[in-house]
Amino acid sequence: LEQVEPIPGIQASRIGWGKAVDGTFSTSSDACRGRAETVEGTTTRGRPVDPQLQHRFVEAALDLLTTNGYAAVTTAAVAKRAGASTASLYRRWPTKKALVTDIARALSVDALSGVDTGSLEGDLTEFIRRKRLLLDRVGTALLALIAEACHDEELRSVLRHEVVGSTSRYVGSILERAAARGEIPPPAPGTVRVLGHALIGGELLLQALAAPSSHGQEESTIGPEVALVMHALTSPQTTD
């Protein structure tokens, strides 16, 4: 089978992605082993869960989302692209939505969590850098999920909680630490939510409208984006 390239910027998660020595990321089996035992009952007999197969399933689902959209992500199509059986897929995720939920969770939880450089400017720079690395890789897949969520309330709830909600929580942690250090005043109500939406939405708009050749070439704009956010957070806030 063809070797699958790991997703950059994603750390260990509940779907089992772990960091390699060279800084790339690959899968581990801990989370899926637990899921397999839940699906199959309390027994732990049989063949052990293959972490590489788990990774191929996730990559296959992302590839299908990117190239053909959400409707193409069927259990049969994911298993075929991963070079495995549907039974192997069901041992890890009993439904399509279970697979998509875990992917959505990992996209935000693993790639964007744990940012703490000791300064607001450093945290924002690292957060935005990670966000761009992630969306350069899976932005089209996330856009496909968002498009489908317009007609699927369950999927909309998953994305609202796992992507938007998680991102806002990480942004909130960054701002709380900055306020505790005296770098900014305590954020006004709604600031975290608005900033989280802006950080996600702006990059997704670029993914949707920019030429493919321009993706991954916006490193020079991280500084201006950080400066803009810093200015908004440190400017006097009015309540009028």
Side-chain angles (χ1 to χ4, degrees), residues 171-210:
V171 170
S173 296
I174 290 173
L175 299 190
E176 287 174 6
R177 291 195 302 269
R181 290 190 296 260
E183 295 180 271
I184 59 172
T191 298
V192 171
R193 178 174 54 84
V194 170
L195 181 55
H197 289 176
L199 290 174
I200 297 172
E203 200 67 30
L204 283 175
L205 183 63
L206 179 64
Q207 289 285 329
L209 302 180

Side-chain angles (χ1 to χ4, degrees), residues 50-238:
D50 180 1
Q52 292 303 316
L53 179 56
Q54 175 191 335
H55 180 70
R56 294 206 306 271
F57 279 138
V58 172
E59 285 292 322
L62 286 171
D63 287 344
L64 286 167
L65 279 169
T66 300
T67 57
N68 301 106
Y70 184 77
V73 186
T74 65
T75 53
V78 171
K80 180 179 180 180
R81 182 162 295 207
S85 67
T86 54
S88 297
L89 177 64
Y90 284 131
R91 281 198 294 270
R92 293 156 176 82
W93 298 281
T95 65
K96 170 180 173 177
K97 284 224 167 50
L99 170 60
V100 171
T101 298
D102 271 359
I103 291 174
R105 179 182 300 125
L107 294 185
S108 58
V109 171
D110 298 330
L112 303 179
S113 63
V115 174
D116 188 359
T117 66
S119 73
L120 176 59
E121 183 176 4
D123 284 356
L124 290 173
T125 299
E126 177 63 12
F127 188 89
I128 292 170
R129 185 191 69 81
R130 289 192 193 183
K131 176 197 67 172
R132 292 189 178 185
L133 283 173
L134 174 68
L135 293 182
D136 277 345
R137 175 66 181 84
V138 298
T140 303
L142 184 54
L143 284 168
L145 291 177
I146 292 172
E148 181 65 24
C150 294
H151 313 285
D152 187 324
E153 178 55 38
E154 184 179 358
L155 181 58
R156 185 184 311 168
S157 177
V158 167
L159 295 180
R160 186 186 302 119
H161 178 75
E162 301 295 354
V163 177
V164 178
S166 295
T167 300
S168 293
R169 286 192 292 274
Y170 302 142
V171 170
S173 296
I174 290 173
L175 299 190
E176 287 174 6
R177 291 195 302 269
R181 290 190 296 260
E183 295 180 271
I184 59 172
T191 298
V192 171
R193 178 174 54 84
V194 170
L195 181 55
H197 289 176
L199 290 174
I200 297 172
E203 200 67 30
L204 283 175
L205 183 63
L206 179 64
Q207 289 285 329
L209 302 180
S213 61
S214 68
H215 292 176
Q217 299 180 9
E218 291 82 23
E219 186 76 18
S220 62
T221 65
I222 291 180
E225 184 173 353
V226 170
L228 183 63
V229 174
M230 291 281 291
H231 177 74
L233 292 173
T234 56
S235 297
Q237 299 173 357
T238 64

